[in-house]
Amino acid sequence: MAGRRRAGVRVRLTALAVLVVGLGLVAGGTAALILVRDQLTGNAEEDVRRQAESFASMITGGLPATLPPLVQVVEKDGTVLAAGSEVTHTRLLALWPESGAVTGTTRLPDGEHHTVAGVAATVNGQPVAVYAAAPLERVDEGVEAAATALAIIVPILLVAVCGTAWLVVGRALRPVEAIRERVTEITASQLDRRVPEPPADDEVGRLARTMNEMLSRLEEVHERQRRFAADAAHELRSPLASLRTRLEIGLAHPDRTDWVRVAGDLHREAVRLGDLTDELIVLALADGVSEPVEWVDLDEVVLAEIDAVHSRGVVDVELSPFSAARLRGRTGELSRVVRNLLDNAEHHARHRITVGLWVRERFAELVVADDGPGIPDSDRTKVFERFFRSQRARERDTGGVGLGLAIVREVTERHGGSVWLADSTEGASFHVRLPLAVNAGGPPAASG
């Protein structure tokens, strides 16, 4: 049934422990009873063999008038020469002792089982066999006593095993229950909370640490989404407010408004909104897997983007040094990295952009440098932040929205690489280092 709950892990493990130990005790107890019976039976056989040998040594000169109750003397043809009072009418054993002693078990008329031992002897020079018997009552009593002891000990042991397993499993699962309770308390607004980590480096401890690492990643993603939404709203507010203000002023004074100029202003703001929307979409996709990983000829990607810069004819592009580089990655994302670096350089360059690409050990390194005014030292650590625009760029109003270099950093890190702004005597020099073989989406490599 759908509503039926399965027994918990603690119950199942305790039941399994009791079952396994119970089966072991039953098997061990059975083996112990068999050993006890064999041991007692062997002792009884040894006793009757000594008794038969002792009596055989006494009758070499002739048979006594009376024999012990469970002793019998038999000729080789099976004729009973003499017998004790309890075995007068019963042949104790059909086996003839040719050499040494023979043993066996027989049942007398009284219904009891006896163990029998027979040895060869002579009476007045005539070969005979002397048989002695002993009841197996003591053997049965010994086995019964052992079985009674096991019947008392086994349940006690099972109860002890059950209690011990219950306590041990409960103690082992206590951290798991603590983790479960803490997880139920964590909501989207409480991602800074963590589950308790046991001190032991066992499966539960590793589980707790893995969950805390997962919560840290979720918190980071949630914080990035929150910051992204706040930054996007802030950046969108400015062009939208500008559009609305111009339109309200124009509508308030339609006869004194230069509508051609207003249309031009609105067009520029619309272009800015379009660029911002495109960058936001790209940045959002950078947090997910947008295309498969494949082999990419990075040199061909760079040359294709350089052709686009050449077609605009704003600045010259030089290649120095430049070599082929093939790596694992996502073509579209790597094209965006190169395009954003070239767009940034084109916006700030005076006359020339220099692009370099080479392979060093297990990495490919791309360098995009310009001969522009460069980046102030105070802004060097901020240029890769989302929506950051230096004061110089704002004054020039180059149209950027401050997302291009942020996209470069996020895509590069998704490919296991790193990006940094290197020292340069002129302009700005951006370096991107990418591993030649990487499962895109892995940890970023250390920058150098």
Side-chain angles (χ1 to χ4, degrees):
M1 295 176 60
R4 182 178 298 174
R5 295 182 58 185
R6 294 183 60 187
V9 175
R10 190 177 190 181
V11 174
R12 281 181 282 166
L13 289 179
T14 302
L16 180 62
V18 172
L19 176 62
V20 171
V21 174
L23 292 176
L25 289 175
V26 170
T30 303
L33 291 178
I34 294 174
L35 292 175
V36 168
R37 175 175 287 279
D38 290 345
Q39 182 66 35
L40 293 177
T41 302
N43 293 339
E45 290 176 350
E46 182 66 22
D47 290 342
V48 294
R49 185 185 63 79
R50 284 197 298 265
Q51 184 179 355
E53 290 176 348
S54 175
F55 189 77
S57 64
M58 297 169 55
I59 62 173
T60 55
L63 291 173
T66 59
L67 274 68
L70 292 175
V71 174
Q72 192 176 72
V73 181
V74 182
E75 292 182 330
K76 198 166 187 180
D77 60 1
T79 302
V80 178
L81 293 179
S85 59
E86 295 186 17
V87 292
T88 304
H89 306 289
T90 301
R91 174 79 181 269
L92 284 178
L93 203 62
L95 296 176
W96 182 263
E98 293 291 346
S99 60
V102 294
T103 58
T105 303
T106 187
R107 185 173 183 178
L108 297 184
D110 60 5
E112 292 186 3
H113 287 84
H114 291 64
T115 183
V116 182
V119 296
T122 57
V123 177
N124 299 323
Q126 178 182 358
V128 296
V130 178
Y131 296 97
L136 292 175
E137 181 181 0
R138 292 184 179 179
V139 175
D140 295 336
E141 290 176 352
V143 173
E144 184 179 353
T148 302
L150 288 175
I152 297 174
I153 294 173
V154 168
I156 295 176
L157 289 177
L158 289 179
V159 171
V161 168
C162 179
T164 302
W166 182 265
L167 293 176
V168 171
V169 174
R171 183 182 181 86
L173 294 179
R174 193 178 304 160
V176 178
E177 182 63 19
I179 293 173
R180 186 196 66 80
E181 292 178 354
R182 181 64 58 83
V183 170
T184 59
E185 299 172 357
I186 298 175
T187 63
S189 60
Q190 297 176 322
L191 291 176
D192 58 328
R193 304 188 65 178
R194 297 293 181 267
V195 299
E197 295 186 10
D201 186 20
D202 54 10
E203 290 80 359
V204 178
R206 291 192 292 272
L207 171 64
R209 283 185 285 276
T210 302
M211 290 196 66
N212 282 335
E213 292 172 0
M214 179 193 68
L215 289 172
S216 297
R217 292 193 297 270
L218 290 176
E219 181 185 14
E220 180 182 356
V221 171
H222 181 268
E223 179 61 24
R224 289 174 61 185
Q225 290 177 343
R226 186 196 63 78
R227 189 171 63 250
F228 176 81
D231 292 342
H234 175 75
E235 291 297 321
L236 288 171
R237 185 183 298 114
S238 177
L240 289 175
S242 178
L243 287 172
R244 187 175 65 181
T245 301
R246 283 176 171 82
L247 287 173
E248 288 176 349
I249 293 175
L251 292 175
H253 308 282
D255 54 338
R256 291 182 294 173
T257 300
D258 185 352
W259 289 106
V260 174
R261 180 178 179 182
V262 170
D265 294 340
L266 295 182
H267 179 266
R268 283 194 299 274
E269 293 296 336
V271 170
R272 182 182 176 189
L273 275 174
D275 293 341
L276 176 59
T277 303
D278 292 340
E279 298 290 353
L280 289 175
I281 292 173
V282 172
L283 197 58
L285 291 177
D287 290 331
V289 178
S290 55
E291 57 180 300
V293 177
E294 58 187 359
W295 285 107
V296 180
D297 292 315
L298 186 59
D299 53 306
E300 295 182 2
V301 172
V302 174
L303 291 175
E305 296 299 331
I306 289 176
D307 288 342
V309 178
H310 281 152
S311 66
R312 290 192 288 271
V314 178
V315 295
D316 295 328
V317 181
E318 296 180 359
L319 302 179
S320 176
F322 195 86
S323 62
R326 200 163 194 257
L327 51 81
R328 295 280 294 175
R330 299 185 178 92
T331 305
E333 294 183 359
L334 294 176
S335 297
R336 172 65 66 172
V337 168
V338 179
R339 187 181 312 132
N340 286 1
L341 289 174
L342 289 174
D343 287 346
N344 180 75
E346 186 178 6
H347 286 150
H348 296 88
R350 294 188 178 96
H351 307 289
R352 184 181 67 258
I353 298 174
T354 303
V355 178
L357 177 64
W358 60 85
V359 175
R360 182 179 301 166
E361 296 180 351
R362 295 177 292 107
F363 294 91
E365 190 161 328
L366 171 67
V367 177
V368 178
D370 62 73
D371 61 350
I375 297 177
D377 293 340
S378 59
D379 295 339
R380 291 172 66 90
T381 60
K382 304 176 183 178
V383 292
F384 296 107
E385 296 179 2
R386 296 180 179 185
F387 302 106
F388 174 78
R389 295 178 66 203
S390 65
Q391 185 62 33
R392 184 178 299 169
R394 295 179 184 275
E395 291 173 356
R396 292 179 60 187
D397 193 18
T398 58
V401 296
L403 286 176
L405 295 178
I407 293 174
V408 169
R409 182 183 65 178
E410 300 214 7
V411 172
T412 301
E413 290 180 351
R414 274 174 48 80
H415 281 74
S418 56
V419 58
W420 68 95
L421 180 61
D423 295 331
S424 177
T425 57
E426 181 184 28
S429 179
F430 289 90
H431 290 239
V432 173
R433 180 178 294 172
L434 295 167
L436 297 180
V438 64
N439 180 14
S447 62

